[in-house]
Amino acid sequence: MSDFFPSPGTTARWVVGATLAGILLGGCANYAGIEPQQTLTPISRLSANQVLGRSPVSPAAWPDVDWWKRLGDPTLDALIQEALSDSPDIAVAQARLRSANAAIASARAGQLPSVDASAEISRSRVSKVEDPLGQGNFYSTSRSLLLSFDYDLDLWGGARAAWEAALGEARAQEIEYRAAGLTLSANVARAYVSLADAYARRDVAQRQLDRALRINDINDELLQAGLNNQTQSLQSRVTAASARQALESAQQSIRSERISLAILLGKGPDRGETIPQPDALSPAIAALPSVIPADLIGHRPDVVAARWRVEAASRSIDSAKAQFYPNINLSAMAGFRSVLGDYFFSEAAKSGSVTPAISLPIFDGGRLRANLESTDAEYDLAVAQYNKTIVSALGEVADDVTTLQSLERQRQSQQQALASARSAYGLAEERYRAGLADYLDVLSSEQQLLSAEQSLTQINTQRLDRSVQLVQALGGGLALDASALPGGDGVAAAPGAE
């Protein structure tokens, strides 16, 4: 190949000379005064000990990957697995992850040399004007077989930084893919809890209607016997009509919740008609992890994704800064070119070149500085989003915990009220059978019992729903080693950190 190129010594001297000249002139375009403005909030500054300190604690209380099994309904287990397999939301997240992985491959290609081969044959009629001899009026055929090489030396690591930025974004998309699964499973569980609540309300509404009809029948009998007036009979009919409306409302809630579940499963509304009445459900989590603020960054998908985006933005800054420095691109070509009639692989047909090229930004109208300003702003945005996410995450956990604590106290009080209502109802029935009270007294006590049962059902539904929200706030089974995250200590790496 030595016949194709200049001597190595000549090429080396040219490259070294060009590099030195570029470094001397490199100060023509600079990024002085352009720096990020935002700083990451250390997790140690966020405290929730007073709010969370009154909750039961267990080191093993972080939710499992299949956390929904704690609710205790096999039908729900199957529904969530179906949703994770067929939901369009998961397909969207998968597509975004594939796109991010493709961006990694594209950025990686920028670090590697490129080699291209080309072959060409061309036949043309040469005119007098095109012929150097001024004769023309003949046909010319040329042939070429070439191999070309191109390599950007990436002296300042700009291409590598761009690849690392793409890698950070892909890692964020991977976490968001898992977050999509968590969100979907939580939404299915919450819709299933709502379906169970709709069935419970339907049962109570049916009993309310039965009671209202019995009262209406009694009032009609008393009216016919002349022992009552028209007003009481009309009032009982109004009560019965309201009870029918409440029953229909509860039945519509069942239909709506089934349709919502079918949508979450990625199926048509008819899929919801096959979902049976839920079993009795248990809360999805009974205790808190022993260390929440410090470990939350490894369990919350949105927090982890935000940290990776800070890392990606940091590497984008490095890539933008590398554009201010001179860079060298090395190109080479070797092959054969000949016209028809010449021996294609002869000594005279050999063709080759070596082209070391240096690029140096001297005056660009502020384009590079504007690009760096924009990249710094993107970093500041990523940092601000991370800070917001970590504060919101801890706030969501605290809100869910305090709400669950309040609901537990409400549940205990309502259970006492329900026990008293049952006792009062039983006593009213005994007095009626003994002839010491009329049946309307029994129905009045039954109304108090039904109201107490309905209130307790509402509280239990709220507890179940909040327990699912707490699982989601805690990361729902995601567990990443903090040392594998950027920074490794709860804080993402600063711009330029290695």
Side-chain angles (χ1 to χ4, degrees):
M1 295 293 290
S2 60
D3 294 334
F4 287 102
F5 305 113
S7 66
T10 301
T11 302
R13 286 193 296 271
W14 194 96
V15 170
V16 171
T19 302
L20 291 175
I23 293 175
L24 292 175
L25 294 173
C28 296
N30 65 84
Y31 52 80
I34 304 177
E35 295 293 340
Q37 304 299 315
Q38 297 293 323
T39 57
L40 291 152
T41 299
I43 194 70
S44 58
R45 291 185 185 176
L46 304 177
S47 175
N49 294 332
Q50 293 183 358
V51 174
L52 303 178
R54 297 182 294 273
S55 302
V57 171
S58 170
W62 288 104
D64 298 326
V65 175
D66 52 356
W67 55 267
W68 52 83
K69 292 186 176 181
R70 292 180 176 268
L71 290 164
D73 191 327
T75 300
L76 175 60
D77 301 345
L79 290 175
I80 290 180
Q81 292 297 339
E82 182 179 349
L84 293 175
S85 299
D86 301 335
S87 172
D89 292 335
I90 300 300
V92 169
Q94 287 176 331
R96 288 174 176 167
L97 179 57
R98 290 198 304 271
S99 177
N101 286 332
I104 294 177
S106 177
R108 177 61 175 167
Q111 297 180 260
L112 302 175
S114 63
V115 179
D116 298 308
S118 64
E120 179 182 349
I121 183 169
S122 174
R123 182 170 175 81
S124 61
R125 187 178 189 280
V126 180
S127 68
K128 180 178 180 180
V129 175
E130 296 167 326
D131 185 0
L133 300 178
Q135 298 177 2
N137 193 26
F138 67 90
Y139 288 89
S140 173
T141 302
S142 64
R143 299 168 296 179
S144 67
L145 178 63
L146 303 175
L147 186 68
S148 60
F149 171 88
D150 188 82
Y151 181 48
D152 189 334
L153 298 185
D154 192 27
L155 297 177
W156 314 105
R160 178 175 178 81
W163 170 73
E164 290 175 342
L167 183 61
E169 177 61 27
R171 285 169 172 166
Q173 288 292 348
E174 179 183 1
I175 298 301
E176 289 192 346
Y177 168 65
R178 299 173 69 174
L182 170 60
T183 299
L184 180 61
S185 60
N187 287 340
V188 172
R190 295 183 67 186
Y192 197 72
V193 168
S194 295
L195 179 62
D197 178 67
Y199 272 106
R201 287 190 288 110
R202 184 205 63 178
D203 294 341
V204 172
Q206 183 63 61
R207 293 168 61 188
Q208 291 275 24
L209 177 59
D210 294 341
R211 172 187 169 277
L213 292 175
R214 290 198 301 272
I215 293 177
N216 186 64
D217 292 341
I218 292 172
N219 283 330
D220 286 346
E221 292 174 359
L222 292 174
L223 179 63
Q224 293 175 2
L227 301 176
N228 207 346
N229 57 45
Q230 187 74 24
T231 301
Q232 291 174 317
S233 181
L234 291 174
Q235 289 175 342
S236 64
R237 292 175 186 174
V238 171
T239 302
S242 298
R244 286 192 184 92
Q245 182 273 326
L247 177 59
E248 175 55 32
S249 176
Q251 289 174 335
Q252 178 55 38
S253 295
I254 292 174
R255 291 189 287 267
S256 296
E257 294 301 337
R258 280 176 161 175
I259 292 173
S260 297
L261 279 167
I263 293 173
L264 289 170
L265 298 178
K267 306 294 175 55
D270 288 348
R271 174 65 180 89
E273 294 299 313
T274 64
I275 299 175
Q277 180 175 351
D279 297 334
L281 301 175
S282 302
I285 190 169
L288 283 179
S290 54
V291 182
I292 287 181
D295 290 345
L296 200 61
I297 58 171
H299 289 80
R300 281 273 298 219
D302 54 347
V303 175
V304 177
R307 288 188 62 196
W308 276 119
R309 287 206 162 90
V310 171
E311 176 71 5
S314 171
R315 296 310 177 211
S316 293
I317 291 176
D318 294 339
S319 179
K321 286 182 176 179
Q323 302 301 314
F324 286 82
Y325 298 108
N327 197 30
I328 295 177
N329 180 271
L330 181 62
S331 299
M333 180 275 293
F336 300 89
R337 287 175 173 162
S338 72
V339 296
L340 189 61
D342 293 338
Y343 182 58
F344 188 60
F345 296 104
S346 67
E347 189 70 21
K350 290 182 179 180
S351 177
S353 66
V354 176
T355 311
I358 184 169
S359 60
L360 172 66
I362 297 177
F363 178 76
D364 63 353
R367 179 183 58 83
L368 291 177
R369 289 182 62 87
N371 180 61
L372 182 57
E373 284 274 16
S374 176
T375 307
D376 281 353
E378 291 294 328
Y379 175 83
D380 288 341
L381 179 62
V383 170
Q385 188 63 46
Y386 171 83
N387 293 341
K388 176 183 176 182
T389 301
I390 195 67
V391 171
S392 297
L394 191 56
E396 288 175 11
V397 172
D399 182 57
D400 291 335
V401 168
T402 55
T403 300
L404 282 171
Q405 291 171 344
S406 174
L407 289 171
E408 176 59 24
R409 292 190 292 269
Q410 294 178 48
R411 186 182 70 86
Q412 293 174 4
S413 298
Q414 190 59 36
Q415 283 181 328
Q416 296 175 358
L418 178 59
S420 298
R422 284 200 180 105
S423 298
Y425 178 66
L427 182 60
E429 283 189 318
E430 291 177 4
R431 287 173 57 82
Y432 171 72
R433 285 193 290 267
L436 299 177
D438 59 30
Y439 195 62
L440 291 176
D441 290 337
V442 176
L443 293 175
S444 177
S445 297
E446 185 183 21
Q447 172 61 34
Q448 293 180 342
L449 176 60
L450 290 173
S451 297
E453 289 179 349
Q454 190 172 26
S455 296
L456 183 59
T457 297
Q458 291 175 350
I459 292 173
N460 285 333
T461 297
Q462 293 176 29
R463 286 180 67 237
L464 290 168
D465 185 69
R466 275 290 178 168
S467 71
V468 173
Q469 292 184 57
L470 178 57
V471 166
Q472 189 173 8
L474 290 173
L478 179 69
L480 297 180
D481 183 0
S483 63
L485 299 174
D489 56 357
V491 178
E498 294 295 337

